[in-house]
Amino acid sequence: MRGCEMNKLFIMLVFLFNLLQTLQVNGQEYRVTIRHWLPKNDTLTFRCQSKDDDLGNHTLNTIGTEYHWDFGLNIWGTTLFFCHFYWGTKQNVFDVFNSDIAVHYCGDTYSRNECLWQVSEDGFSILEFEGFTMLHDWGASHSLPFKPLPKLRE
């Protein structure tokens, strides 16, 4: 009986593994893009992270340049990425991807689920079917220079 039970357990584990792989592959891949749209080719600096992934510091210097990353949703649908943005003396930090953003703004764009953020002097807009929608402004100015954030603790 032990051999039969082990075989059933093995088959069940293989089935679950294949199911999880299918869930991630079937439409659960996303791309987040950050596009520089600041005046006079001002420098945009930012750092994006999730609980598990630190994407590091990035700088965009020219209008129209972009940085993007691709990822799959976790099996619970709770994947979250946030970014801390710096432009001169201004800064802001907010979620650039979570389940609510995915449902409302990151639909199928050219056969992929993409969240396209455009950063301008007015703030942070995300692409929808009719064009860009402003979701965040720069808020209050700060006299703090860019400083890399410490890595998140696990």
Side-chain angles (χ1 to χ4, degrees):
M1 280 290 233
R2 294 182 100 196
C4 185
E5 289 174 12
M6 291 298 286
N7 284 341
K8 287 180 182 178
L9 180 61
F10 177 75
I11 290 170
M12 179 82 91
L13 289 173
V14 169
F15 173 77
L16 287 173
F17 177 78
N18 286 332
L19 178 63
L20 292 176
Q21 290 285 352
T22 302
L23 287 173
Q24 180 150 352
V25 171
N26 286 337
Q28 299 303 308
E29 290 288 321
Y30 282 87
R31 169 174 285 186
V32 172
T33 301
I34 309 297
R35 178 185 291 164
H36 177 295
W37 211 253
L38 293 169
K40 303 178 207 159
N41 295 324
D42 286 352
T43 298
L44 172 66
T45 306
F46 56 95
R47 180 175 183 176
C48 300
Q49 296 177 253
S50 72
K51 179 182 174 196
D52 300 318
D53 298 304
D54 181 349
L55 304 178
N57 298 320
H58 298 278
T59 301
L60 300 176
N61 294 309
T62 308
I63 195 166
T65 55
E66 298 177 342
Y67 171 78
H68 72 265
W69 68 96
D70 300 315
F71 57 94
L73 292 180
N74 63 30
I75 61 173
W76 301 277
T78 58
T79 302
L80 181 146
F81 280 92
F82 68 94
C83 295
H84 197 147
F85 295 92
Y86 301 86
W87 172 45
T89 61
K90 297 180 179 183
Q91 60 178 302
N92 200 343
V93 59
F94 57 87
D95 294 351
V96 295
F97 184 89
N98 60 38
S99 59
D100 288 335
I101 292 170
V103 167
H104 293 99
Y105 300 106
C106 307
D108 193 309
T109 306
Y110 306 109
S111 299
R112 71 172 176 253
N113 295 322
E114 181 175 25
C115 307
L116 172 56
W117 288 93
Q118 186 163 279
V119 183
S120 69
E121 63 185 316
D122 295 327
F124 305 86
S125 302
I126 194 164
L127 182 63
E128 291 189 277
F129 290 109
E130 295 88 32
F132 285 93
T133 299
M134 181 75 62
L135 294 184
H136 303 281
D137 62 21
W138 280 100
S141 293
H142 301 279
S143 59
L144 300 173
F146 169 72
K147 231 175 14 176
L149 298 173
K151 189 169 185 172
L152 289 176
R153 295 181 192 175
E154 305 272 325

